[in-house]
Amino acid sequence: MQKHIAELKSPMYASFSLTFALMGDAFLYSFLPVNAPSIDVPIIWIGTILSINRFTRILLNPLILRVFSRLGFRLPMIFAAIAAVFATAGYGSGFGITILLLLRILWGISYSVLRVGAITYAMDYPQKGLALGLSQSIVESGPLLALLIGPLLFDVISPKLLFLVIALLSTPGIYFAVKLKERDRAPGRRFNFKVSFPSIFNRLAFLGAFAVEGMLVVLIGAMLMDARPDWSAVEITAAAAGFLSFRRICSLFISPFAGWAADRYGLPNIYSGSILLICSGLLLATNGWVITGLVVVFTFYNVNASLAAGAASAGKADVTHAVSDNATFRDAGSAFGALTGGFLLANDHLHILYAAIVLLLIFFTWKYHRQSNAFPA
């Protein structure tokens, strides 16, 4: 028992470092669309500021692998935790769009390092499903804390001081990064930006992120307006925020159970089942049962997201490279999905588009499940 607890320390330290780094980003998503003028941000720049970190992650994941192979894991994660605190403190500075964009790029780099590091440390634990589930649960706690205390602080202090306070609350992430033990380095690999054709699993990950993390998150408000035309704008906004919070709460409590179930019943079985349940939720949400559908999607997408790294790295010799590749395709899916969702805000035929996406998801799930049964980990 003591041995297992000792082996869990590094995965937990890495996860805590990541969750504290996420606090500023989580609050920025709820703060900026409504309060951009208070930090001198023109409304036209909001989408770019909120999405540029995702495109940064897509481009720099290969470089991060190179950094890990050269410097190990502990030192980059310490610097990434420091950078996240610095970026958060600068969000409310009012120094202009250029500085804010640079801070978002810096935060995107920091997040990439901490995310790949946290997942890789979790994958070192013998019971990978349990470690990944606990890690995901911990990672969601920081953003939830920021979403709870941020609005309360905003009532009494200025935006500049608000983000400075959130940055100070994020500093324990540096402590947990310092507490990490170094893990064995992966063999150095030649650096390049060559993108190979994605595996079946990464195609599935891209499409899932495109449909849920990208399009659906952007379209929640529009879908609720169609379903509840009698609700006011304030009620729609509150409901959309409530579903986003529900998504994180589900991740906090369901991820450990998902990890346990994956260890007991097989990760490919639980992962594939979660995709099929997500598909059912998407069909419900886009065909008149919006609230029920959103509850189903966000409940089971958290199961899916918490197990993605384990499924992506199953049978792979280089776990870090597999995790990074999967993270890149998920980032790309969510980034391009968000852009697509923005163009479809006034579209009346979402059910047709989502029906096509669901068919593709089911097809890729079938191929992935057959493949995983043919080549068990």
Side-chain angles (χ1 to χ4, degrees), residues 77-163:
M77 291 189 71
I78 292 172
F79 280 114
I82 294 171
V85 172
F86 177 79
T88 299
Y91 288 158
S93 63
F95 288 150
I97 297 300
T98 301
I99 297 297
L100 191 52
L101 288 173
L102 289 174
L103 290 172
R104 292 297 288 160
I105 291 170
L106 176 65
W107 189 89
I109 297 169
S110 167
Y111 174 74
S112 289
V113 171
L114 291 170
R115 177 179 58 172
V116 173
I119 293 173
T120 304
Y121 273 104
M123 293 297 295
D124 288 339
Y125 188 69
Q127 292 176 276
K128 293 177 175 56
L130 175 62
L132 288 168
L134 287 173
S135 175
Q136 184 67 20
S137 181
I138 290 170
V139 165
E140 292 296 345
S141 60
L144 270 176
L145 178 62
L147 289 170
L148 287 172
I149 66 173
L152 297 176
L153 291 172
F154 190 39
D155 278 341
V156 294
I157 60 178
S158 68
K160 183 175 182 178
L161 287 176
L162 173 58
F163 281 104

Side-chain angles (χ1 to χ4, degrees), residues 12 27 30 34 53 69 153 179-180 191 197 205 212-213 246 365 372:
M12 298 304 99
F27 183 67
S30 64
V34 180
N53 63 299
S69 67
L153 291 172
K179 292 281 289 182
L180 285 168
F191 173 66
F197 193 69
V212 180
E213 291 185 35
F246 170 77
T365 301
S372 62

Side-chain angles (χ1 to χ4, degrees), residues 76 109 118 145 158 177 198-199 236 239 261 277 304 313 318 332 340 352 357 361:
I109 297 169
L145 178 62
S158 68
S199 64
I236 294 293
L277 288 164
N304 178 271
S313 59
D318 190 341
T340 304
I352 297 175
I357 292 174
L361 281 170

Side-chain angles (χ1 to χ4, degrees), residues 65-81:
L65 286 178
R66 184 71 167 176
V67 170
F68 280 142
S69 67
R70 286 291 186 91
L71 301 178
F73 280 71
R74 182 173 176 270
L75 190 61
M77 291 189 71
I78 292 172
F79 280 114

Side-chain angles (χ1 to χ4, degrees), residues 35-372:
N35 302 285
S38 68
I39 55 173
D40 301 323
V41 173
I43 293 175
I44 195 173
W45 283 95
I46 292 174
T48 302
I49 290 167
L50 292 179
S51 64
I52 192 170
N53 63 299
R54 293 182 177 185
F55 288 102
T56 300
R57 280 146 38 191
I58 295 169
L59 293 173
L60 293 186
N61 274 339
L63 177 60
I64 289 166
L65 286 178
R66 184 71 167 176
V67 170
F68 280 142
S69 67
R70 286 291 186 91
L71 301 178
F73 280 71
R74 182 173 176 270
L75 190 61
M77 291 189 71
I78 292 172
F79 280 114
I82 294 171
V85 172
F86 177 79
T88 299
Y91 288 158
S93 63
F95 288 150
I97 297 300
T98 301
I99 297 297
L100 191 52
L101 288 173
L102 289 174
L103 290 172
R104 292 297 288 160
I105 291 170
L106 176 65
W107 189 89
I109 297 169
S110 167
Y111 174 74
S112 289
V113 171
L114 291 170
R115 177 179 58 172
V116 173
I119 293 173
T120 304
Y121 273 104
M123 293 297 295
D124 288 339
Y125 188 69
Q127 292 176 276
K128 293 177 175 56
L130 175 62
L132 288 168
L134 287 173
S135 175
Q136 184 67 20
S137 181
I138 290 170
V139 165
E140 292 296 345
S141 60
L144 270 176
L145 178 62
L147 289 170
L148 287 172
I149 66 173
L152 297 176
L153 291 172
F154 190 39
D155 278 341
V156 294
I157 60 178
S158 68
K160 183 175 182 178
L161 287 176
L162 173 58
F163 281 104
L164 181 59
V165 170
I166 294 176
L168 290 173
L169 293 174
S170 302
T171 55
I174 301 172
Y175 166 79
F176 286 109
V178 171
K179 292 281 289 182
L180 285 168
K181 290 184 178 180
E182 186 59 85
R183 66 185 299 278
D184 294 335
R185 301 183 190 182
R189 58 174 63 243
R190 185 173 297 173
F191 173 66
N192 63 70
F193 280 104
K194 181 180 179 181
V195 178
S196 57
F197 193 69
S199 64
I200 287 293
F201 181 79
N202 281 333
R203 277 176 263 175
L204 179 59
F206 173 91
L207 193 59
F210 181 93
V212 180
E213 291 185 35
M215 281 181 58
L216 192 65
V217 168
V218 172
L219 293 168
I220 286 177
M223 293 168 67
L224 288 170
M225 287 177 67
D226 288 340
R228 296 289 187 272
D230 55 316
W231 286 7
S232 68
V234 173
E235 289 173 318
I236 294 293
T237 302
F243 275 112
L244 294 177
S245 297
F246 170 77
R247 175 188 172 195
R248 292 191 179 277
I249 291 170
C250 282
S251 185
L252 185 66
F253 291 107
I254 292 176
S255 295
F257 173 76
W260 170 83
D263 288 331
R264 183 174 179 86
Y265 300 109
L267 193 152
N269 295 327
I270 301 301
Y271 188 88
S272 300
S274 71
I275 289 284
L276 297 178
L277 288 164
I278 290 166
C279 288
S280 68
L282 290 173
L283 291 176
L284 287 170
T286 53
N287 286 276
W289 295 277
V290 175
I291 293 176
T292 302
L294 290 175
V295 169
V296 172
V297 170
F298 287 140
T299 298
F300 292 100
Y301 191 76
N302 288 296
V303 174
N304 178 271
S306 65
L307 300 179
S313 59
K316 302 292 194 302
D318 190 341
V319 170
T320 307
H321 187 258
V323 168
S324 178
D325 276 353
N326 179 250
T328 298
F329 284 107
R330 289 176 71 89
D331 285 340
S334 62
F336 286 107
L339 288 177
T340 304
F343 289 118
L344 295 174
L345 281 169
N347 192 285
D348 295 327
H349 303 289
L350 286 177
H351 62 287
I352 297 175
L353 177 59
Y354 265 107
I357 292 174
V358 163
L359 288 175
L360 279 174
L361 281 170
I362 292 172
F363 173 71
F364 286 139
T365 301
W366 172 71
K367 293 201 71 174
Y368 158 70
H369 200 263
R370 284 191 62 190
Q371 191 178 78
S372 62

